[in-house]
């Protein structure tokens, strides 16, 4: 669809951040997100008021430059919400995404950030009757779904390099794959959050952004330190999570944005074409198993395409959101 004035339309990271702060941090509240002229997509009588909610896959940990509002959220000026704000030429832009966020951090509590510091308010506090557009990328931290899977898969890989020791680790005595179970359970909590979003921003169009492909369709690579059999299993867990997000959106008046197909060939094994970093944390580029800047930009382009019925995102690009553009960013 075309947005034409929507209906009122966690330790490694902390250590890496400490090493790279001088190069990464943008002081102050934040710079505006827009770049160039407002997008023609905003064709209604009034411009768009945009709020971005979510976890690290939306925030962009360690991608320069990192915002300081608060620093503990590891939120980049070059995440996909920042690009989208520029593409749409929004009037106001509030990015409250925060690395490590779980669904409860959106509506029920102040989040304990990865880098110790002030606890940000629940993200939904950024919403209002004036909000027109909301993007939400959440779910991968609930039940430590991704975090514990990645940690354990790398730890046990040498026990059975050609097997699936990680899948066995997470299969309980009753034969239940607890990762697949938890990926399914996330649908309920995301649904609850979406209903809360609708109450706080009743006139907004709400988009649930799925996770991009982390692992390749076939084969293995040095960049991902998993046993061979755990690649396919890990991919199934991610697909189950994305299914939960899609169903939560469909059942609660939101629209699901599927990044998985577009990220084919851009997984963590894709070398120079990778949108996602592999097992090695790269302090001034990306956290391990998180998007690079190019991945964020590509995600924004795909989100834009899906939100606008197939339009191509504006061709301009920006290294950091310039001060003085038409959009106003607050966090």
């Amino acid at each position: 669809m075309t947005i034409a004035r929507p209906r009122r339309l966690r330790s490694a990271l902390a250590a890496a951040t400490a090493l790279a702060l001088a190069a990464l941090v943008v002081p102050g509240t934040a710079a505006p997100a827009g770049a160039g002229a407002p997008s023609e997509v905003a064709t209604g009588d009034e411009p768009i008021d945009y709020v971005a909610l979510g976890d690290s896959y939306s925030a962009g940990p360690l991608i320069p430059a990192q915002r300081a509002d608060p620093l503990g959220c590891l939120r980049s000026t070059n995440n996909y919400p920042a690009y989208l704000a520029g593409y749409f030429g929004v009037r106001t832009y509030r990015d409250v995404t925060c690395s490590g966020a779980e669904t409860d951090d959106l509506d029920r509590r102040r989040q304990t950030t990865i880098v110790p510091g002030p606890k940000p308010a629940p993200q939904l506090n950024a919403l209002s009757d004036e909000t027109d557009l909301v993007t939400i990328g959440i779910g991968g931290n609930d039940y430590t779904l991704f975090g514990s899977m990645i940690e354990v898969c790398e730890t046990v890989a040498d026990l059975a390099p050609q097997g699936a020791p990680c899948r066995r680790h997470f299969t309980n005595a009753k034969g239940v794959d607890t990762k697949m179970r938890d990926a399914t359970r996330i649908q309920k909590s995301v649904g609850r959050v979406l209903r809360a979003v609708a109450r706080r921003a009743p006139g907004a169009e709400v988009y649930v952004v799925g996770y991009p492909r982390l692992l390749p369709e076939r084969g293995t690579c040095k960049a991902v330190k998993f046993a061979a059999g755990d690649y396919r299993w890990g991919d199934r867990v991610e697909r189950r999570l994305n299914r939960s997000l899609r169903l939560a959106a469909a059942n609660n008046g939101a629209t699901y944005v599927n990044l998985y197909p577009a990220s084919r060939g851009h997984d963590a094994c894709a070398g120079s074409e990778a949108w996602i970093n592999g097992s090695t944390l790269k302090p001034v580029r990306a956290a391990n198993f998180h998007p690079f800047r190019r991945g964020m930009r590509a995600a924004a382009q795909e989100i834009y395409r899906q939100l606008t019925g197939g339009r191509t995102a504006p061709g301009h690009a920006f290294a950091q959101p310039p001060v003085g553009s038409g959009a106003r960013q607050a966090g």
Side-chain angles (χ1 to χ4, degrees):
M1 64 165 289
T2 298
I3 292 184
R5 182 61 178 177
R7 310 181 295 261
R8 263 291 332 138
L9 195 331
R10 165 194 278 233
S11 58
L13 279 176
T17 302
L19 291 173
L21 286 183
L24 291 170
V25 174
V26 172
T29 304
S39 168
E40 293 180 358
V41 175
T43 57
D45 294 335
E46 299 178 51
I48 296 169
D49 296 315
Y50 171 35
V51 176
L53 313 172
D55 61 21
S56 54
Y57 274 75
S58 300
L62 305 188
I63 300 173
Q66 295 281 285
R67 292 171 53 177
D69 57 338
L71 178 61
C73 278
L74 300 177
R75 184 191 305 137
S76 176
T77 59
N78 283 294
N79 57 17
Y80 75 69
Y83 281 103
L84 285 176
Y87 295 162
F88 284 116
V90 301
R91 175 173 61 188
T92 63
Y93 164 40
R94 293 182 59 81
D95 180 357
V96 291
T97 61
C98 193
S99 297
E102 302 175 19
T103 52
D104 281 357
D105 297 313
L106 270 62
D107 64 334
R108 290 180 169 179
R109 66 190 180 197
R110 287 183 170 269
Q111 181 179 343
T112 299
T113 57
I114 294 171
V115 177
K119 294 184 177 183
Q123 294 185 25
L124 266 61
N125 286 14
L127 301 174
S128 74
D129 289 343
E130 299 298 311
T131 305
D132 302 306
L133 171 64
V134 179
T135 59
I136 308 176
I138 200 69
N141 292 316
D142 286 40
Y143 310 107
T144 66
L145 187 74
F146 280 164
S148 63
M149 181 175 71
I150 289 167
E151 180 180 2
V152 170
C153 285
E154 293 180 339
T155 300
V156 303
D158 289 341
L159 299 178
Q162 298 305 311
C166 195
R167 181 184 63 190
R168 291 198 302 272
H169 176 92
F170 288 109
T171 301
N172 66 23
K174 295 182 179 180
V176 174
D177 183 328
T178 59
K179 286 298 178 185
M180 295 292 281
R181 177 200 65 196
D182 292 345
T184 301
R185 293 166 66 191
I186 287 168
Q187 179 184 340
K188 181 178 180 180
S189 53
V190 173
R192 184 201 79 237
V193 165
L194 291 173
R195 293 188 292 275
V197 169
R199 291 191 295 270
R200 297 219 183 193
E205 289 200 0
V206 182
Y207 294 87
V208 178
V209 179
Y211 291 87
R213 189 187 298 263
L214 307 184
L215 299 168
E217 291 184 280
R218 59 185 62 87
T220 63
C221 68
K222 292 182 180 180
V224 176
K225 304 182 187 303
F226 287 11
D230 285 326
Y231 278 71
R232 305 290 77 73
W233 171 76
D235 181 61
R236 289 196 299 273
V237 172
E238 182 189 357
R239 286 189 281 116
R240 178 63 62 88
L241 171 60
N242 279 336
R243 179 178 183 271
S244 291
L245 300 180
R246 176 175 58 81
L247 292 173
N251 293 336
N252 293 279
T255 301
Y256 177 62
V257 180
N258 191 358
L259 296 182
Y260 191 86
S263 55
R264 180 180 184 183
H266 299 287
D267 55 80
C269 287
S272 63
E273 296 298 316
W275 295 355
I276 302 296
N277 189 18
S279 296
T280 302
L281 183 147
K282 299 176 181 178
V284 293
R285 294 187 64 201
N288 52 324
F289 289 100
H290 281 78
F292 294 111
R293 176 179 173 181
R294 62 176 171 264
M296 282 295 189
R297 183 181 179 195
Q301 291 170 340
E302 178 61 14
I303 296 166
Y304 182 93
R305 187 190 69 79
Q306 293 190 39
L307 266 62
T308 61
R311 295 190 187 184
T312 300
H316 66 263
F318 45 89
Q320 293 181 21
V323 175
S325 63
R328 173 173 59 84
Q329 178 175 357

